[in-house]
Every structure is written in C-alpha cells, then in structure tokens.
Amino acid sequence: MATYLEFEKKIEQIQEDIDSARARDDEYALESFQKDLNKEVTKTFKGLSDYQKLQLARHPDRPYALDYIRLIMEDAYEIHGDRAFRDDPAILCYLGYIDGQKTMVIGEQKGRGTKHKLKRNFGMPNPEGYRKALRAVKLAEKFNIPVLMLIDTPGAYPGLGAEERGQSEAIAKNLFEFTSVKVPMVSVVIGEGGSGGALAIGVADKLAMMRYSVFAVISPEGCAAILWNDPKKVEQASNALKITPNDLHEHGLIDDILDEPLIGAHREKHQAAQVVKEYFLENVRQLKELSTDEMLEQRYKRLTAVGAFTE
C-alpha cells in the first residue's frame, strides 16, 4: 500500500475515492475524481516548504539507487569489495549498459524493510564502501567507461570501526582522485545527500539534484540539536540550512535540477528513472565532444568555483 505524508492527506482521500469508483466501474465519478486529484496535486506540490521537501526526500517509497539501476540498466553486473577489507552493501557498483552506452553506476543504497535496512546499514557507507567506489571508478577509467553516481545517504557511518579504518581518509581520497579521472562523470542526488557521505561520490563533471531531494552539510535534526538543543526545531533548521535544489542552484553549488514527476518519484518511478537516464546520456554526449584535457579543465574550474564570492 502507498504511504502518504501528513500534507498528502487530501490526496490520499481522493485516491481512495478513485479506487472506490474504479471498483464500481463508475466512469463518470472516476473522471470527476481524477480532475479533483490533478487539482489537489498541483495545489499541494506547488507550494511545498523546505521541511516538506525533506520529508519527500526521505519518503519510504522513494526509489533507491537499486531501483534506478534495475529500471535504466541492461546486462548489469555487480562489482563487490574494495580488495582490502570487505564488501560494503551500502555502496553499489554496477557495470552495464544504458541505452547501449556502456556505463559504470555507483550508488548509495538505504535498503527497504528492516532486514535490508540493517544489511545496507541504512545507507551509511563505511570506508571500504568508498574505497570500492574508487576501485570501480578506476576500472571505468581504464576501459574508458562513463560513470553515473547516485547519491542517497544520511551521511557516512560514524561508528568506531569506521573511524579506525580511516573514514575521513577514504572520503578525502575520493574527493582528490575523482578530480582527475579521465572519463565523463555525472552525479545525481536522488534522495538525501548528507555531508561527506554524499560528497565522496559527488565530485563530477555535472552535479544535479532531483526536484524533491536535499543536500546538506548536516541533517536538520543534527543542526537543531547543536544550535538550539531542541529537536522540535527541525523545520526551522531545514529553512536555515538552504538544503533544497533551488537554493543550492541559486548559489552555484549544483549544475541542474531534474524535474521528477510533480507528485514525486515514489508515485511515478519509471518516469523518474527516465529523467535520470536522459540527463546522464545527454551530458555524456556533450562531454565526449571535449578533449580529455578540456573536460578536466572544465571540471577543475567547476569544483574550484564552489565557495567563491565577491563583496
């Protein structure tokens, strides 16, 4: 069954009416309710607050990296392990084809259901996960294969073992190494982009965000706890952090905003996957028109422009 958020209650009621009319085979009522649904969706989703967008980014039905991989990739083959410690299930690496374009896809996977959430560590990678991602990128570079990275994590895992195995070093090394990889790299925030855990697979020629995704240096909950010592101020923190695609694009921190379905990627997964696929393929096509030196120079300028300001 579909999960509805608090601000979607009117949509849920109309959807129930539609299901009832469909069961009665009442075409007149069905058409009327469908018009009501379209109006309510437009009214609700055109005026979302930053906190409501955060809720959508974390929606339990929202497609995760593995959903996108299954929807857009053909002949996908998973790559496991960092060849140093172990395989980290929170990071996925798949080699396959997207519309005939050989592609390496790297994604952060949260997991759906208790069993898989525990297996994927709630989408919080350990250092071996980031080292696996680096290994996959280097493999892609060796065989001249473009890379698509799908960001969706509350942050890198902060456990004692992760710190002992060099969590910060693994993230920092990815940031450094990805700047000079000689193949096209495209990164998309599909849900929640949290802190260094997101940055570790966010260094690319193009960085985009889905319409209802977020990207932040800290979670709003963490921000509220540090600044006000009050977890009830999460909504205030969400507004202050400027975590939505529009704010980040305005400040030049991301390149593009992807128009996922107005009602959310969790309601139209195939359409959302198509948006990601088309964005990736179009940017790969454009990047291939550049020489390697031109592509790397453009990437360097893009990355070093982050944080620049004038008075």
Side-chain angles (χ1 to χ4, degrees):
M1 291 183 64
T3 303
Y4 290 87
L5 300 172
E6 186 62 34
F7 64 86
E8 297 179 295
K9 290 303 180 183
K10 289 184 179 179
I11 295 174
E12 181 181 16
Q13 182 58 57
I14 297 172
Q15 187 61 57
E16 288 176 357
D17 292 337
I18 288 174
D19 293 339
S20 178
R22 187 175 287 119
R24 300 193 311 270
D25 198 22
D26 188 339
E27 292 186 9
Y28 178 79
L30 186 61
E31 183 178 348
S32 177
F33 287 135
Q34 189 61 55
K35 289 180 180 178
D36 291 342
L37 179 63
N38 294 337
K39 289 179 182 178
E40 188 59 38
V41 166
T42 301
K43 176 184 175 182
T44 300
F45 285 86
K46 284 292 186 180
L48 294 176
S49 67
D50 289 356
Y51 181 62
Q52 288 170 334
K53 291 178 181 178
L54 173 67
Q55 290 177 294
L56 285 171
R58 295 172 172 174
H59 198 289
D61 298 334
R62 192 169 180 83
Y64 294 148
L66 192 55
D67 297 312
Y68 284 102
I69 289 169
R70 288 170 174 167
L71 287 169
I72 67 177
M73 288 197 85
E74 300 168 353
D75 297 330
Y77 180 84
E78 186 172 7
I79 296 170
H80 293 278
D82 66 339
R83 291 186 174 174
F85 183 66
R86 71 175 181 110
D87 183 48
D88 185 356
I91 291 275
L92 301 172
C93 300
Y94 275 85
L95 183 61
Y97 294 87
I98 298 178
D99 270 7
Q101 169 63 61
K102 191 177 290 185
T103 305
M104 179 70 75
V105 178
I106 298 168
E108 290 163 322
Q109 178 71 12
K110 287 183 173 180
R112 188 165 279 113
T114 303
K115 178 182 177 181
H116 291 287
K117 284 180 179 179
L118 292 172
K119 176 184 176 181
R120 306 288 183 183
N121 199 32
F122 299 86
M124 295 184 289
N126 280 276
E128 51 270 21
Y130 296 119
R131 290 173 181 136
K132 176 170 71 170
L134 178 58
R135 176 194 160 211
V137 167
K138 288 296 186 181
L139 182 66
E141 181 182 39
K142 181 178 180 180
F143 294 102
N144 196 29
I145 300 171
V147 178
L148 171 62
M149 296 181 283
L150 304 174
I151 298 172
D152 191 15
T153 179
Y157 185 56
L160 180 61
E163 298 298 338
E164 288 176 339
R165 295 192 300 279
Q167 183 71 286
S168 59
E169 186 274 341
I171 293 172
K173 188 169 184 179
N174 279 18
L175 298 179
F176 175 75
E177 294 284 352
F178 285 11
T179 60
S180 57
V181 172
K182 297 176 181 179
V183 292
M185 300 179 71
V186 177
S187 191
V188 179
V189 184
I190 58 173
E192 189 175 9
S195 193
L199 285 175
I201 61 168
V203 174
D205 297 291
K206 290 289 183 178
L207 174 59
M209 293 177 68
M210 301 293 278
R211 188 204 303 262
Y212 302 131
S213 63
V214 295
F215 202 5
V217 69
I218 188 174
S219 70
E221 291 84 358
C223 177
I226 292 171
L227 292 184
W228 300 292
N229 195 28
D230 184 356
K232 294 180 180 179
K233 292 190 175 182
V234 173
E235 189 166 354
Q236 184 176 340
S238 299
N239 294 329
L241 283 168
K242 305 298 182 185
I243 59 178
T244 62
N246 289 335
D247 287 321
L248 294 166
H249 187 264
E250 183 181 338
H251 287 89
L253 298 175
I254 64 170
D255 298 298
D256 298 291
I257 302 171
L258 304 191
D259 285 330
E260 67 176 90
L262 182 63
I263 199 170
H266 55 291
R267 301 273 189 260
E268 299 284 352
K269 293 183 181 180
H270 285 83
Q271 188 177 338
Q274 186 68 21
V275 169
V276 172
K277 181 174 76 171
E278 290 176 0
Y279 180 78
F280 170 71
L281 292 175
E282 175 59 23
N283 279 282
V284 167
R285 184 190 65 76
Q286 293 178 11
L287 290 165
K288 281 186 173 182
E289 293 177 355
L290 304 174
S291 68
T292 300
D293 288 342
E294 287 173 335
M295 182 181 71
L296 292 177
E297 178 66 19
Q298 182 175 288
R299 187 188 304 168
Y300 178 78
K301 287 181 178 178
R302 180 196 163 277
L303 294 170
T304 53
V306 172
F309 69 96
T310 57
E311 295 188 72

